[in-house]
């Protein structure tokens, strides 16, 4: 996987688009700009002007992290089996929908509202219903090396 170079903060929208697509990105930070906070493992930054060796090291680190993510891809098949590398787990329909929403933003926060819409399209279950399904999902995903982390007051993050 190649690493996208993004001028920051000028190309913030491009940064967000690349993150949505799961692309590795190196933020090239202007000397006067504040330091950005990396949004996931596929992002790093370096302040300009930068030493060529430092730049190559950051790019190689991102390439390695991106490669590790590619070695154990996530895939939910038509039978409701979630595959992670060589491991798999069967998921009920609602939990499959929740995992799909989390997979699309792997490593980033997915809000409760988005998860409710994904899990119960056209319905509005109470708050506890989502919590119960997330608890069940955590138990199912742990044996295949995945976890769901709670980000207080924001939502959940699927991590491998």
């Amino acid at each position: 996987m190649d690493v996208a170079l993004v001028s920051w903060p000028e190309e913030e929208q491009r940064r967000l688009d690349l993150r949505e697509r799961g692309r590795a990105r190196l933020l090239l930070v202007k000397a006067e700009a504040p330091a950005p906070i990396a949004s996931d493992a596929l992002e790093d930054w370096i302040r300009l002007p930068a030493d060529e060796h430092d730049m190559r090291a950051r790019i190689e680190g991102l390439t390695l992290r991106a490669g590790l993510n590619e070695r154990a891809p996530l895939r939910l098949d038509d039978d409701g089996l979630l595959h992670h590398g060589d491991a798999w787990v069967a998921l009920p329909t609602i939990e499959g929908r929740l995992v799909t929403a989390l997979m699309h933003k792997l490593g980033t926060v997915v809000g409760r509202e988005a998860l409710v819409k994904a899990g119960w399209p056209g319905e509005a279950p109470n708050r506890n219903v989502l919590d119960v399904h997330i608890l069940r999902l955590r138990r199912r995903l742990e044996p295949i090396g995945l976890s769901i982390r709670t980000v207080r007051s924001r939502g959940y993050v699927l991590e491998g």
Side-chain angles (χ1 to χ4, degrees):
M1 175 181 280
D2 60 321
V3 175
L5 302 179
V6 179
S7 294
W8 195 84
E10 297 84 4
E11 296 184 313
E12 176 64 13
Q13 186 57 50
R14 181 169 174 247
R15 171 194 185 194
L16 297 173
D17 293 342
L18 290 166
R19 181 179 71 189
E20 286 293 318
R21 291 185 289 160
R23 288 274 315 275
R25 37 221 186 269
L26 179 62
L27 305 182
L28 305 175
V29 180
K30 302 285 185 198
E32 67 280 358
I37 297 177
S39 61
D40 60 43
L42 295 180
E43 184 172 275
D44 202 348
W45 64 273
I46 193 164
R47 191 167 302 279
L48 297 177
D51 178 78
E52 182 181 341
H53 297 291
D54 291 346
M55 181 93 78
R56 285 182 198 265
R58 301 277 176 136
I59 290 171
E60 287 177 24
L62 282 167
T63 302
L64 176 63
R65 290 196 298 269
L68 291 174
N69 284 348
E70 290 174 354
R71 280 191 206 131
L74 291 175
R75 182 176 57 86
L76 184 64
D77 67 22
D78 294 337
D79 296 318
L81 299 179
L82 177 64
H83 300 267
H84 181 232
D86 294 332
W88 61 271
V89 64
L91 297 177
T93 304
I94 290 174
E95 291 173 24
R97 288 187 209 138
L98 295 173
V99 161
T100 299
L102 290 163
M103 284 172 39
H104 286 299
K105 293 194 171 194
L106 185 65
T108 60
V109 177
V110 179
R112 293 181 62 85
E113 206 171 287
L115 288 171
V116 167
K117 285 180 185 177
W120 298 269
E123 297 179 41
N126 69 36
R127 181 179 180 92
N128 293 338
V129 172
L130 177 61
D131 294 338
V132 167
H133 281 279
I134 292 293
L135 177 65
R136 289 178 184 159
L137 257 177
R138 283 181 169 135
R139 290 178 182 157
R140 290 183 206 278
L141 299 182
E142 185 179 1
I144 65 167
L146 297 171
S147 64
I148 298 174
R149 187 169 43 101
T150 302
V151 179
R152 188 177 174 130
S153 301
R154 295 200 46 220
Y156 298 95
V157 177
L158 177 63
E159 297 176 328

